[in-house]
Amino acid sequence: MSDTKDRLLQTAARLFHEQGYHATGVATILREAGVNSGSLYHHFAGKEALLRGVLDWYLDQLRPVITGPVEAAESDPLERIFVLLGNYRAMLESTGCVLGCPIGNLALEVSADHPAVRPLIDANFAQWRAVVASWIDQARDRLLDDVDAEALALFVLTTMEGAIMLARARGTLEPFDVAVANLRRHVELLTA
Amino acid sequence: MSDTKDRLLQTAARLFHEQGYHATGVATILREAGVNSGSLYHHFAGKEALLRGVLDWYLDQLRPVITGPVEAAESDPLERIFVLLGNYRAMLESTGCVLGCPIGNLALEVSADHPAVRPLIDANFAQWRAVVASWIDQARDRLLDDVDAEALALFVLTTMEGAIMLARARGTLEPFDVAVANLRRHVELLTA
Amino acid sequence: MSDTKDRLLQTAARLFHEQGYHATGVATILREAGVNSGSLYHHFAGKEALLRGVLDWYLDQLRPVITGPVEAAESDPLERIFVLLGNYRAMLESTGCVLGCPIGNLALEVSADHPAVRPLIDANFAQWRAVVASWIDQARDRLLDDVDAEALALFVLTTMEGAIMLARARGTLEPFDVAVANLRRHVELLTA
Amino acid sequence: MSDTKDRLLQTAARLFHEQGYHATGVATILREAGVNSGSLYHHFAGKEALLRGVLDWYLDQLRPVITGPVEAAESDPLERIFVLLGNYRAMLESTGCVLGCPIGNLALEVSADHPAVRPLIDANFAQWRAVVASWIDQARDRLLDDVDAEALALFVLTTMEGAIMLARARGTLEPFDVAVANLRRHVELLTA
DNA sequence: CATGAATGAGTATTCATTCAT
DNA sequence: AATGAATGAATACTCATTCAT
């Protein structure tokens, strides 16, 4: 991948995360990436294609950057869930509860009117969920028999996305922490 | 409240919900409300003030329109939670999983760069949560002693917001239903 | 004159002086005067008519407020010129060289495209010049025979307006003081 | 310099001179220059930056276009002053006393609320004054010993700016001619 | 592949003014 | 005389995109 294209993707990813898709102008991406407008349209069909490129890139990064390190750092499969959530908490904390999950931000803003983008957002969610499901599956002998790993993984994801949303709205970590505490209680009840 | 102002609020509420805040142009609001540009700025200081008006209006509507009917239709306090979630499901279903919670849509898009709006989003979440907490509190003798009504109400909210987000991203109701099923299981475990 | 009309005139006079005619919006005048838009158009035909009202008011004020006090404070007719210029200097000084002669500000901005206003600006200049000419005339026996009082009065006025312009452009009183020093020298040469 | 940028500068210079800064809309400049709105903001940061560009351009033009021809046409240094003033008189005459000094017009309108512009206006005045001072300096042996070339040059400038202002307000050349006659008398007295 | 000028519809907002009450 | 909502053209400026070099 050319350096220019890479710089565009990283800059766009950051700005879409910080400001959202519509609030981020192409001119801002170009300026901050140090790229000319002509070059953007050489590498991407337009702003939406750049967004798709960003979501592809997130998908590639998910295992090596997001879930892989959690697996390396924590061997207990159920505990990995809470280490992962703790990492998102750390991002919220270090940014004053401004930056949460980049996919979640885009999901609500872009799903409705950009049909070509929605599958990529869904794919990111699906892979995140699949990794967490694999962890739960590894702990299936500690869980009640009727626990569905895929379903519980989705519940982890909805909790995280909802928790980030409320933490951003409040401007404090409290909603995030309360939501995660509820989730932990739920997992404990399922392991009783 | 004047007719013009009311029409602006209702039109803006609908468009912000359907398209998001940034993707909705003032010109579109004016055209669909049948209002001249000058009149908007007679009633509101600007687009952001209009958004604040919308969020104030949502707050006023919450009990009479959202939670009140649930209380009228269902007497079991815990079951009310699932009736309420069912109503959001119905909105998703009738719009092809496009329209979910109007507050949640705005929370992620606007929290970061519109500091004057964030408290109003938080207030909407807080009041929703307070009503649900009051229901849980009414059922406290059926719940484990250590259940915190406020905390559990927040968990209901994060589940709902996360569930709507995933249903919109997928374009189907499945994630919503799976999340709600998890939540129901959680409540059942707390009533054992 | 009604209180409302008076307040409009005084507020408009101040704002036109501070910001200029085009840069002052009617809405600002109304807000700062505490008057409704309907009332303005009851008393004046429009913004330009308000400006004409201001210029009429300046003309009324000229003798009682501008030149009268100079005559009361200084008996030497030639010295009165420099007392008068000193008063304009004081206004420049107390406003950081921002506010000079209100008529001069408007003359350049409005003469070209508001033909109904120009005669009023000219009348203000003419009356100012007439008063100064009367002072010079009182000192005619101390001046060279060929000194034309009207002509010299105009020279005083051009010096003052040019001096204010340069002081505003520089942001210091130096150009004003230098110009007045030149003028004093000129008067001295004419009294030799 | 690109053709587009040049056309913008020349058109803006003309319109700012004819109508003033605030009374000239960006749309008018664009229409008369035959330039698209986007292009203006490619070359200039905004309307004020365009004004700064105009003032820079005036500064560049001052010697080659304004004072240079005077030096070529008239060898007597003191007489050059009156040739220069005569050129401004010709501009007033050919435009029905509407167009005077483009810098003076802007000085009063823009000095107060556009701090970034003021130094450029001052620079134009300063350079004009410096050229005239150099002429006076060349005639220093014909002038009284205590004549300060810089101070007298400023007096020439204030006279000219004040004279143009009054000629525009009156709509005739008479105030200009009277002011210049006074100035000529002053110079004669200094050469006695 | 890069450059950067050009495009022109679109943005939110302000303008002076009118008018029904 | 006063009120304040309504009017809609005009304001300065930004948008994503195109294209000749």
Side-chain angles (χ1 to χ4, degrees), chain A residues 4-45:
Chain A
T4 298
K5 189 171 181 180
D6 204 44
R7 240 168 31 244
L8 281 168
L9 283 173
Q10 285 190 249
T11 307
R14 177 171 57 79
L15 290 169
F16 289 159
H17 192 190
E18 289 172 1
Q19 312 181 327
Y21 177 72
H22 289 101
T24 299
V26 171
T28 307
I29 298 170
L30 293 171
R31 187 184 342 105
E32 303 212 0
V35 168
N36 290 91
S37 62
S39 295
L40 188 155
Y41 292 91
H42 173 78
H43 291 288
F44 298 96

Side-chain angles (χ1 to χ4, degrees), chain D residues 13-126:
Chain D
R14 177 172 56 80
L15 290 169
F16 289 160
H17 192 189
E18 289 172 1
Q19 311 182 329
Y21 177 73
H22 289 103
T24 300
V26 171
T28 306
I29 298 170
L30 294 170
R31 187 181 346 103
E32 303 213 0
V35 167
N36 292 314
S37 61
S39 294
L40 189 157
Y41 295 92
H42 177 73
H43 293 286
F44 299 95
K47 188 184 180 186
E48 191 196 288
L50 178 56
L51 172 59
R52 290 199 302 270
V54 167
L55 289 166
D56 277 334
W57 184 75
Y58 278 139
L59 200 54
D60 288 341
Q61 301 281 307
L62 208 155
R63 284 178 180 275
V65 173
I66 306 296
T67 59
V70 170
E71 293 175 343
E74 173 62 56
S75 57
D76 181 326
L78 290 184
E79 207 53 40
R80 281 172 177 166
I81 292 170
F82 298 97
V83 172
L84 178 60
L85 296 180
N87 289 345
Y88 283 92
R89 185 188 195 279
M91 172 157 43
L92 279 173
E93 189 170 29
S94 67
T95 61
C97 290
V98 167
L99 297 192
C101 169
I103 311 298
N105 282 14
L106 294 166
L108 292 185
E109 191 184 359
V110 150
S111 291
D113 46 343
H114 293 256
V117 175
R118 207 171 60 176
L120 288 169
I121 291 173
D122 188 47
N124 271 275
F125 283 147

Side-chain angles (χ1 to χ4, degrees), chain C residues 15-16 19-25 47-49 51 106 109-110 114:
Chain C
L15 290 169
F16 290 159
Q19 310 180 328
Y21 177 73
H22 289 102
T24 299
K47 188 186 180 186
E48 192 197 287
L51 172 60
L106 293 166
E109 193 185 359
V110 152
H114 292 256

